[in-house]
Structure formats: structure tokens, C-alpha cells
Amino acid sequence: MELSNHFISIKKSPILFFTTKPPFSTKALTKPFDSHSPKLTSPAHSLQLETLKILEWSSLCNQLTPFTSTSMGQSITRNAKIPIGKSKEESQKLLDQTAAALAVMESGPLDFSGIEDITRILDSAVSGTLLTVGELCAVRRTLRAARAVLERLKDSGDCSERISSILLSLNRYAPLLEILQNCSFQIELEKKVGFCIDCNLSKILDRASEDLEIIRSERKRNMENLDRLLKGISARIFQAGGIDKPLVTKRRSRLCVGVRASHRYLIPDGVVLNVSSSGVTYFMEPGEAVELNNLEVMLSDSEKAEEIAILSLLTSEIAESARDIKYMLDGIIEVDLSFARAAYAYWMNGVRPIWTSEGCGGISSSGGDYLLSIDIEGIRHPLLNGTSRKRLSNILGSNSLNSMEVDEDSMLDTGKPSKNVSEFPVPINIKVECGTRVVVISGPNTGGKTASMKTLGVASLMSKAGLYLPAKNTPKLPWFDFVLADIGDHQSLEQNLSTFSGHISRICKILEVASNESLVLVDEICSGTDPSEGVALSTSILHYLRDHVNLAVVTTHYADLSLLKDKDSRFENAAMEFSLETLQPTYQILWGCTGDSNALSIAKSIGFDSNIIERARKWVEKLVPEKQQERSGMLYQSLLEERNRLEAQARKGASLHTEIMELYHEIQAESEDLDGRVKALMAKETQLVQLELKAANSQIETVVQNVETQLRKASPDQFNSLIKKSESAIASIVEAHCSSDSLPASETDTSSYTPQLGEQVLVKRLGNKLATVVEAPRDDETVLVQYGKIRVRMKKSDIRAIKSDKKSKATILVPSLKRQVKQSFSELNKDEEVSHGPRVQTSKNTVDLRGMRVEEAAQHLNMAISAREPLSVIFVVHGMGTGAVKEGALEVLGKHPRVAKYEPESPMNFGCTVAYIK
């Protein structure tokens, strides 16, 4: 066999099966996904697995399943085998990969649709089993899709940050590129499979080898000769009446013709291959076709042997590359899980945690030391955190395996949220100071102690696994090598363990395994036994944990354990808040406080007999001398009330400060460019006056020319009428350009000066800034002015008219225009109307007064009229309503000096009045 182009030439067609095991192992390059911690001894491993079960780690891993894009990633999440960092560096690497995946997701999801789980196919190839065409095509599709993933990551790194810096983009996506940088994508193998096989038709191509091409060509020619021969014989049989219609078929892998049994003599040298079930038709091979059929059988066998040889050669090459392909698949799984973690973080609004060292120093890029070894604000348990999540349909890409199947409600173990969804689950703050080794949490039953402790344990595991936390700001916590928990009842009838025995047995195992980097969580330490002995044993255990672990968090109802803080600063107390008003827990942790169990209050709220409750209170008074416990509880409640009051005042102060700063920035922004705005306004006014003057002169010139032309052609009897008509036209022009408006006069004596509505004045208390009068002066000598967006009432004595040297050129040009026109045409009448342009309503010439009070509407309308340009139209929308706003608007329009006339609402325009500006 000689393989075309891409293949090594060999002369025979051997079937290459492995008869012995391959000389290599795939374990060396396979990346494990089933270890959750550093190298574990058997007791440590079993204890860690029990802790994962207690913290419901498998349920959390299942939440990642909808976000995986490959069947391999889905299997890992469903079996809770996602990688957990064995060291701080590995966990940091996992977090970096999640951050890089989030960055890539900004430009669209990654396509994993062509990647299949070909592990079984690779194992079959290694064991010597011949792969089928479909299996070879599956390997090719996976190799091509994996290479496309790498190219997409490289394109994202090259393009997304090209404008700013290529180095920045490389650093941004480097954690993902590092996963695949050492992988071999077997490009040559992919090309060989594609060269030999058409995966769309699942067929080996002729070009796969020269021998196959020759065999198929020869077989094609032989089949054409055989088919032509048999069709001719069958046609002759049909013409002789030996068959109803010509029939060429195959029997016993040989081509033959059909003939009636009574006419078999038509094929004298034929061989009967088969007979129909009725015996009427014989299927006979003519003597002329024997050699051709023999050649067809031989060529068919040769073709099959050649195809098997090609499949065998491809299978052997895949077997030789199986180790590299598996290593590449592990890299693809890592990338898939990175994107699953990123999508999960986006779904639950997660934030990236950072590590604190033994000295409480963070390793974030911002630098700096933290006074807290654990500082997590507003964290919610991820298995309860269902209310703040985004819709899955907005996150899952089209190539996700679960995009069409996931049921969001099924991912919440707690069922549907209660009606008050905004308050459940209650976010908690976890803050542990540097140097603290043991935290003792006390408080009522059902107060949230166990849930809070579980939340800390899950947050530690999530951080180690590269998962973002459902918290606020930037969570900070140490890296723990082990998270060991004793939560729940460990009673076992099979092992003859009582509740207390099971509890103590597990604590004993924890003490053996824990190191100085471990987190230990113990619920209800040493409960279920004599209180005095329980306190003594608990104290001893806590002292041991203080010296041998990074942090231990225990819950208890033993009040004596809260006293350990007074003797050793490495102990810290915390309490679960309980409201005596509602007799319900608030689920908030009060750090540095001790909490009461509130057993009697809870029993009373449940409905216990009042006599039993009262008798219990008396026993409490006897057991606690001088009512020390009651005083402690009253002091505790008073401190809580004081804390709540101070927090309310702090929030109110912060809100007031925010409003003041916003007002300050607004005033500052308005005052920065005031001089420039004044100059622009003056320039605009000057330009408008010049345009008016030019337009008036042009119109008058036109009228005079028209009159002169008509006088030349008219008879003497028509002179008087033509002159009157021209006088009327010129009077209209004068009326249009000589309105009664006048710009502000020069500065007068402050005592006699009265500002007018809509006038621009100087305000002394605002630093002589320009403001607009929005309300006429009152009897108390005060005026309401507007400066930018700010309205303020000022004394009349603090307001001055604009000086003559600050007026625009318009104040000079307008009066001169009036004098010029009046002196030239003082005897003309003023009868003709002025043209105000097209009456088309737009957003710029519309004033909407609906929803305003009468006074507010009047001020708003006055300012709008003052701001309109001359000879324009304004649409006043006042609505129907009670008619009060309408009456006020009509009153303003009737009195305003700039309003030439107005048209009331019509049947075509209810609720709107049209006014014409002079």
C-alpha cells in the first residue's frame, strides 16, 4: 500500500493491531480532578471527604453543571470532582483563570460545541482495537475544535486590548493560554484523517492510498462492463417472453439476471444462484459473466483489505498520540471549568477573594496591610442565595450542554423563596481580627449560628477552588490547607456510638489531622453531657486548638466559654442577634459580644404554658446570684438599641452629606463657565439685532420699489389708494421690528429699582453673578431668582440692574433701529399682521404645564416666553383637568408684553393654546 502525499509508503496492507500492551502509560500527563487537598493520608482523606459532605460541597458543585460546555466538564461537576488548590499558589492560579475567563466572556462565549469525550476511543486504539470511520471522525472533530478554542483565546488576547497595550492583553489572558501552551493539538494527525476520510459521508476517500485508488478505478470499470453485459442479456430474455420486465440483481454477492423457470433454456450455460420463494423465477448467472463476477469479488475483497489497512494505520497513529491527546483534553477541561466558574460568578454576582498572610497582609495588587485576617462583608450562602442571581438564559451560551434543559428552581435546595424574598437569606459579615485563633459563637437556637459557620467553611473551599464569593466589596481570608468540620449528629447504632461519643470521636480525629494552617468548625462543642464536665472538656479542647490551628470557630450554649477572651486575647466572642420585640432572630453576627440563649423567650413564643415559663424564671434567678444574668441581658439589649440608633444617625448623616456635596458640585459646575456664557449670549443678541435691522431695511426697500413701479403704470386716480396700501405695508414692518420690549436699563438707585419678571439681574450675595427673576417682588421686599438650576429668594436690596457697559450691543442697536424706522415712517399706519413663520409644533417650541401647580406653571411659562426668539410660535400644553392651570396660563399670556396674540384651544387641538411672540 502506498499512501498519497501525507502518508508513509509501504508495499503491503498489514492490519496493525497491538498484541501486547502499549509501552507507555497515559497517567504521566493526565491532570487529576479528584483530589481536594494536599497529599492526604488515609484518615485525613476520609475526614476531608466527610467535611465536604457536611458542607454540601457536592450540591454546590452541581450548581456549576449548567455552565459547563463539554460532557467531560459536566461529569466532573456532577461528581463533585472540580479541582481544589493544593497550595496557595494553585488556588491563586485557579482564581486567575476565572478572572481571565470573565475577561474573555466580555467579547462573547467560547465555542466548545465540537469537543467530544474521546477517552474511550483513545483507550480502544491503545488496546489494539481497530477504530471505525465514525470514531476517527470524532477524534478529528475534537482536535479541530480544541485548536479553535486556543485560536479564539489568542485572538481575544491580541484584539481586545490592542489599542491600549499588547502586553496588558497578554497578561490578562495568560492564565488560560498557559493551560494549553504545552498541549499538542496533533495538527498533522487531524490533516491525515481529513485527507483519508470524508466525515460528512463517513467514507474513506480514493486518495487515501494509491492502491485504493487503483482498485476502485478497476472495480468501477469492471462493474460497468458487467452491468452492460447483464442488461443486454436481460433485455433479450424480456423480448423472448422469459420475464415480465428486464431484471438485473445480486445473489450470493454475484450479479445475475432473473428468468422464468419455464424459459431457463434461454441461458444454456448459466448457473442458478437462487430461486424465488414461489419457484417461478430463477436467478441465473450467465456464463459470459462468470469471469467478470469473479473479478468483482476479488476487487471488492482487495478494497476492503485496503480500507482496513488505512483504518489500521490511522488507528496506530492515534494510539501513538493518545497520551498527548489525553493531556490536551485535560487542558480543554480546565478551560471549560474556568469558564464555568466565570459564568457562575456572573450569575450570582460574585466577587473575587484575596488571601491574607499570617501577618494579615494581602497579596492583592493594591498592596497594603489589613487589620483583619478575615474580612467578608454581606456574604450569602451560595446554596441559599437564589434572589440576587441573574437569569440563566442571559448567561448560558448556545453551545452549553444544559442551555435548553436547566431548571433554575431545581438548583435551589431550599425550595422556592418566601414572599419576602429581598430579606432571605440575610447577608452576614464575617470579621476576625489578626491574631485571633478561636472564635466562640453563642446565641439562641434557630439564630443562624450553624448556617454562619457553614458559610465560612464553604467560602474557604470556594476560594481554594477558584470560585468567586457571593459577597460585597473584596473578601479577604487566609488560605487553609484543611477545612475540618464537626456539624450535626454523629450517632451510630452500627458502631455503637451515642451522640456524645460520635461527637467526641470526630473531634479527636480533627485534632490529629489539623495543622497550623487549618480551619476547624465545631458545632455545639461538647454538648450532650454533664454541663460542668462539658465546659471543662470544651475549655481544654479550645486551648489546644488555639496553639495548633490557624482558626477554630465553635458554637456553644456554655456561657463560661465566653469568659476565655478575658484571659487570652487570642480568643474572640461573637453572638447571634435576637430581637426581644419580635421574639425572632435577625441572623446577624455581633462580633465581640456574647449572646443569651433566650430559651425562655423562644419557649414562650412557641406557646408554652405560662406557669411553666414563670417557674423556670424563678429557677434561673436562684441559679444566677444577684440577677446577674438579667442585668447582663438588659445591658446587652440597651447596647443593641444604642447601636441601632447610632447606625440610623450615621446613615442619615451620610445621606445629608451626599446631598450637600451634589449641590456643591452642581453650583460649582454652573459657575465655572458663567463668563463664557455671558459673552456667548451677548454675541447672539447682537447677531439677532443685526439680522432684524437688515431684514427690516430689505422689506421696506422692496415695498418702496413696488410702489414706485406701480405709480409709473397707474392713473392719477389710483395714486391715493396705492400710497395708502404702501403705508399700511410699511406700518406692518415697523410694528414687527419695534415691539414694546426693551432691554434692561442702566443701573439705577437700588432703593428705587424694582426688578421685573423674566429680567436678568446681578445678585450681590452670589458674587455679582447673573440670575433671572422668576417671580415678581413681594410685599416683604424679597425676589425669587434662578441661578443655573438653583432657585433662591433674595432681598430686593441685594439685587442690582445690569450696568450699561455689561449690556450687549443689542441694547444700543434696538433703540437706534426704532428711532431710525419711526423717524422715516412716523406717519404710517399699523394695520397689517406680522408673519410668525410656519405653525408646526415641535419639542423645542412646546411648553408642557400638565401636573404643575398654578404658581409653578406661571413661572415656567414666563421663563419659556422670555427665552423664545422674536416672531416665533409657542405651544402651551395645559391639559383639560379642573381648568385652573389653563386659566393661569391664559392670564399670563394676556399680560405678558412679548405675546402679540394667542389662539385658544380648538376642536382639533384640545388642551393646547398657541401663542405668537413679538
Side-chain angles (χ1 to χ4, degrees):
M1 178 182 72
E2 295 183 358
L3 299 181
S4 302
N5 297 329
H6 291 56
F7 288 87
I8 302 172
S9 297
I10 59 176
K11 292 299 180 182
K12 294 185 179 180
S13 304
I15 301 176
L16 303 179
F17 295 118
F18 292 113
T19 56
T20 59
K21 293 183 178 179
F24 53 84
S25 172
T26 60
K27 294 182 179 179
L29 292 177
T30 302
K31 301 178 182 180
F33 289 99
D34 57 349
S35 59
H36 299 289
S37 56
K39 292 184 178 180
L40 302 178
T41 60
S42 181
H45 182 64
S46 61
L47 192 60
Q48 185 69 12
L49 291 179
E50 290 176 12
T51 297
L52 295 177
K53 183 178 180 181
I54 290 172
L55 297 179
E56 300 176 86
W57 180 247
S58 59
S59 298
L60 190 142
C61 292
N62 284 333
Q63 288 188 343
L64 286 174
T65 302
F67 304 103
T68 56
S69 300
T70 66
S71 59
M72 298 169 287
Q74 186 181 76
S75 175
I76 288 172
T77 55
R78 283 182 174 173
N79 295 322
K81 299 265 180 103
I82 66 173
I84 298 179
K86 301 177 184 178
S87 64
K88 182 186 291 186
E89 290 72 22
E90 286 190 15
S91 297
Q92 186 68 30
K93 187 176 181 180
L94 292 172
L95 288 171
D96 292 339
Q97 291 171 2
T98 305
L102 276 170
V104 174
M105 286 173 59
E106 294 176 0
S107 58
L110 211 60
D111 185 9
F112 292 87
S113 57
I115 296 175
E116 305 175 30
D117 186 0
I118 58 174
T119 306
R120 182 190 58 80
I121 298 175
L122 297 176
D123 292 338
S124 297
V126 171
S127 65
T129 304
L130 185 68
L131 298 183
T132 63
V133 171
E135 291 173 334
L136 291 171
C137 289
V139 173
R140 178 174 179 262
R141 284 194 300 270
T142 300
L143 292 175
R144 184 169 52 186
R147 183 157 50 87
V149 169
L150 177 63
E151 291 172 356
R152 165 64 197 286
L153 290 177
K154 288 182 177 179
D155 291 342
S156 300
D158 291 338
C159 299
S160 62
E161 301 289 346
R162 184 172 295 168
I163 297 177
S164 59
S165 171
I166 295 179
L167 290 177
L168 178 60
S169 65
L170 291 176
N171 291 335
R172 193 179 187 189
Y173 301 106
L176 293 177
L177 293 172
E178 288 176 0
I179 297 175
L180 302 176
Q181 68 179 357
N182 295 325
C183 295
S184 174
F185 291 90
Q186 302 296 319
I187 299 176
E188 288 300 321
L189 177 58
E190 176 197 339
K191 290 181 179 179
K192 286 180 180 180
V193 176
F195 182 82
C196 294
I197 299 175
D198 185 344
C199 289
N200 294 324
L201 301 177
S202 298
K203 176 183 176 183
I204 299 177
L205 298 173
D206 295 349
R207 65 188 182 187
S209 75
E210 295 179 1
D211 291 347
L212 181 63
E213 186 174 8
I214 294 172
I215 292 170
R216 286 182 173 176
S217 177
E218 184 65 28
R219 185 182 179 191
K220 181 179 179 182
R221 286 194 299 269
N222 183 68
M223 282 296 296
E224 290 174 354
N225 295 333
L226 181 59
D227 185 64
R228 185 167 52 250
L229 173 65
L230 293 178
K231 283 182 178 179
I233 295 174
S234 182
R236 290 198 302 269
I237 295 173
F238 171 70
Q239 293 172 358
I243 195 72
D244 293 336
K245 61 180 180 179
L247 175 63
V248 177
T249 184
K250 180 178 282 190
R251 291 293 185 272
R252 298 182 183 178
S253 301
R254 302 176 73 86
L255 287 176
C256 57
V257 295
V259 63
R260 287 193 180 98
S262 59
H263 289 72
R264 58 183 294 185
Y265 63 87
L266 295 174
I267 311 176
D269 55 349
V271 179
V272 179
L273 299 179
N274 201 355
V275 180
S276 66
S277 59
S278 63
V280 175
T281 305
Y282 278 35
F283 300 99
M284 301 183 66
E285 179 184 9
E288 303 96 314
V290 172
E291 290 299 327
L292 294 176
N293 264 326
N294 290 338
L295 182 58
E296 166 61 20
V297 172
M298 182 183 68
L299 291 174
S300 177
D301 293 340
S302 299
E303 181 181 3
K304 290 180 180 178
E306 189 68 17
E307 288 178 348
I308 291 174
I310 293 171
L311 294 177
S312 177
L313 183 58
L314 293 175
T315 299
S316 65
E317 294 211 12
I318 289 177
E320 291 174 1
S321 305
R323 178 170 52 181
D324 293 334
I325 296 175
K326 285 188 176 182
Y327 185 78
M328 179 270 296
L329 281 179
D330 289 334
I332 291 296
I333 295 173
E334 275 196 70
V335 175
D336 183 22
L337 292 178
S338 298
F339 278 88
R341 294 195 301 268
Y344 180 69
Y346 180 78
W347 176 57
M348 67 172 185
N349 297 314
V351 291
R352 176 174 180 168
I354 62 175
W355 308 115
T356 55
S357 61
E358 293 183 1
C360 297
I363 61 174
S364 64
S365 58
S366 59
D369 293 334
Y370 309 111
L371 298 177
L372 300 173
S373 63
I374 298 181
D375 185 5
I376 306 176
E377 292 186 8
I379 186 170
R380 303 171 187 259
H381 196 291
L383 297 182
L384 304 176
N385 186 23
T387 60
S388 61
R389 292 168 173 163
K390 298 180 175 66
R391 295 295 300 175
L392 284 177
S393 57
N394 298 332
I395 304 171
L396 294 178
S398 60
N399 57 331
S400 173
L401 292 175
N402 309 282
S403 58
M404 302 298 294
E405 302 174 1
V406 66
D407 180 7
E408 292 186 56
D409 293 334
S410 66
M411 296 177 64
L412 302 179
D413 295 341
T414 56
K416 294 184 179 179
S418 61
K419 293 182 179 179
N420 194 8
V421 293
S422 61
E423 298 181 1
F424 184 82
V426 177
I428 62 173
N429 299 330
I430 303 177
K431 298 179 181 292
V432 179
E433 295 182 356
C434 288
T436 300
R437 290 291 176 263
V438 179
V439 176
V440 179
I441 303 178
S442 57
N445 293 313
T446 71
K449 298 190 301 295
T450 304
S452 300
M453 192 164 54
K454 279 188 173 182
T455 301
L456 174 59
V458 169
S460 302
L461 289 174
M462 291 176 68
S463 302
K464 291 180 65 178
L467 291 166
Y468 282 22
L469 304 183
K472 299 177 181 178
N473 302 326
T474 303
K476 308 174 186 69
L477 71 165
W479 184 87
F480 300 108
D481 59 353
F482 293 117
V483 178
L484 306 171
D486 174 42
I487 301 173
D489 189 357
H490 300 284
Q491 184 186 53
S492 174
L493 297 178
E494 182 180 354
Q495 299 179 14
N496 194 24
L497 290 176
S498 65
T499 300
F500 179 75
S501 300
H503 174 63
I504 290 299
S505 175
R506 184 167 179 82
I507 290 180
C508 180
K509 295 178 182 178
I510 289 176
L511 297 182
E512 292 176 358
V513 172
S515 69
N516 57 1
E517 291 186 349
S518 300
L519 171 66
V520 175
L521 308 172
V522 182
D523 188 29
E524 300 293 348
I525 185 170
C526 295
S527 60
T529 186
D530 179 79
S532 58
E533 293 183 357
V535 169
L537 184 56
S538 299
T539 303
S540 180
I541 292 173
L542 294 183
H543 277 87
Y544 179 88
L545 292 174
R546 174 198 62 187
D547 299 326
H548 292 85
V549 301
N550 188 314
L551 179 66
V553 180
V554 301
T555 65
T556 185
H557 287 286
Y558 295 146
D560 292 341
L561 296 183
S562 302
L563 302 178
L564 296 175
K565 178 184 177 181
D566 299 336
K567 300 178 181 179
D568 193 333
S569 60
R570 288 175 291 180
F571 286 87
E572 180 59 271
N573 293 327
M576 302 308 298
E577 188 177 27
F578 186 85
S579 173
L580 291 180
E581 297 177 358
T582 62
L583 297 179
Q584 294 292 329
T586 64
Y587 304 106
Q588 291 292 343
I589 303 177
L590 304 176
W591 296 93
C593 301
T594 58
D596 295 331
S597 295
N598 293 296
L600 300 182
S601 300
I602 295 174
K604 183 178 180 181
S605 66
I606 292 175
F608 250 80
D609 186 274
S610 58
N611 294 327
I612 296 176
I613 300 296
E614 186 60 31
R615 189 175 297 110
R617 292 190 187 280
K618 293 179 180 179
W619 276 104
V620 169
E621 292 177 0
K622 293 179 180 179
L623 294 174
V624 182
E626 301 178 2
K627 298 184 179 180
Q628 179 180 356
Q629 186 174 4
E630 182 179 354
R631 289 199 302 272
S632 175
M634 293 175 61
L635 178 60
Y636 171 71
Q637 291 300 323
S638 65
L639 290 175
L640 287 182
E641 293 173 0
E642 181 67 15
R643 186 201 66 174
N644 294 335
R645 185 180 65 81
L646 292 176
E647 286 180 351
Q649 290 181 354
R651 287 193 296 269
K652 184 177 180 182
S655 176
L656 183 60
H657 177 266
T658 302
E659 292 179 2
I660 292 174
M661 291 306 297
E662 289 178 355
L663 183 61
Y664 167 76
H665 291 307
E666 189 175 1
I667 295 174
Q668 188 179 32
E670 290 287 343
S671 63
E672 282 179 355
D673 196 33
L674 190 57
D675 293 337
R677 288 163 57 194
V678 170
K679 291 179 181 178
L681 181 61
M682 293 171 65
K684 184 177 180 181
E685 290 179 353
T686 303
Q687 185 180 8
L688 290 175
V689 171
Q690 290 175 348
L691 291 175
E692 285 187 13
L693 180 59
K694 185 176 180 181
N697 288 334
S698 176
Q699 293 173 7
I700 294 172
E701 242 179 77
T702 303
V703 172
V704 172
Q705 290 176 2
N706 292 337
V707 171
E708 290 177 352
T709 302
Q710 293 174 0
L711 287 175
R712 293 191 196 99
K713 299 178 181 180
S715 62
D717 297 337
Q718 297 175 333
F719 286 174
N720 289 335
S721 62
L722 289 176
I723 291 173
K724 288 183 179 180
K725 187 174 181 181
S726 63
E727 289 175 350
S728 177
I730 294 174
S732 298
I733 297 173
V734 173
E735 177 67 20
H737 294 281
C738 298
S739 62
S740 58
D741 282 2
S742 60
L743 295 176
S746 59
E747 184 179 6
T748 58
D749 185 22
T750 305
S751 60
S752 61
Y753 171 64
T754 301
Q756 301 298 319
L757 184 65
E759 182 180 357
Q760 290 187 324
V761 296
L762 296 175
V763 182
K764 181 179 178 182
R765 289 186 177 272
L766 294 179
N768 287 330
K769 300 295 184 182
L770 194 65
T772 303
V773 179
V774 295
E775 185 182 286
R778 292 186 175 181
D779 297 336
D780 58 355
E781 297 296 318
T782 60
V783 181
L784 182 64
V785 298
Q786 180 165 346
Y787 170 65
K789 296 182 181 179
I790 310 301
R791 291 189 177 188
V792 60
R793 187 170 295 280
M794 307 296 297
K795 291 183 179 180
K796 183 179 174 182
S797 58
D798 293 330
I799 297 176
R800 294 181 298 166
I802 302 176
K803 293 182 179 180
S804 57
D805 58 347
K806 291 189 178 181
K807 295 180 183 178
S808 65
K809 294 182 180 180
T811 59
I812 302 173
L813 292 175
V814 173
S816 66
L817 174 63
K818 291 181 181 178
R819 288 194 300 271
Q820 178 181 353
V821 177
K822 287 183 178 178
Q823 289 173 3
S824 301
F825 308 99
S826 58
E827 297 179 358
L828 297 178
N829 295 322
K830 305 175 182 179
D831 299 326
E832 188 172 340
E833 279 194 11
V834 181
S835 175
H836 288 78
R839 225 186 80 173
V840 179
Q841 185 176 1
T842 65
S843 59
K844 294 184 178 180
N845 64 4
T846 302
V847 181
D848 194 348
L849 307 179
R850 290 175 295 182
M852 299 183 182
R853 296 183 179 274
V854 177
E855 297 79 4
E856 183 183 3
Q859 295 175 7
H860 194 63
L861 181 58
N862 273 315
M863 294 178 64
I865 295 173
S866 301
R868 292 296 299 166
E869 61 271 11
L871 301 179
S872 62
V873 182
I874 185 170
F875 292 81
V876 182
V877 180
H878 45 67
M880 306 298 289
T882 61
V885 175
K886 174 183 175 182
E887 292 177 2
L890 295 179
E891 183 179 356
V892 171
L893 294 175
K895 294 181 180 180
H896 202 288
R898 292 202 63 199
V899 178
K901 65 176 183 177
Y902 63 88
E903 296 177 359
E905 56 185 347
S906 64
M908 298 297 294
N909 198 18
F910 281 112
C912 179
T913 299
V914 183
Y916 297 86
I917 308 300
K918 294 180 181 179

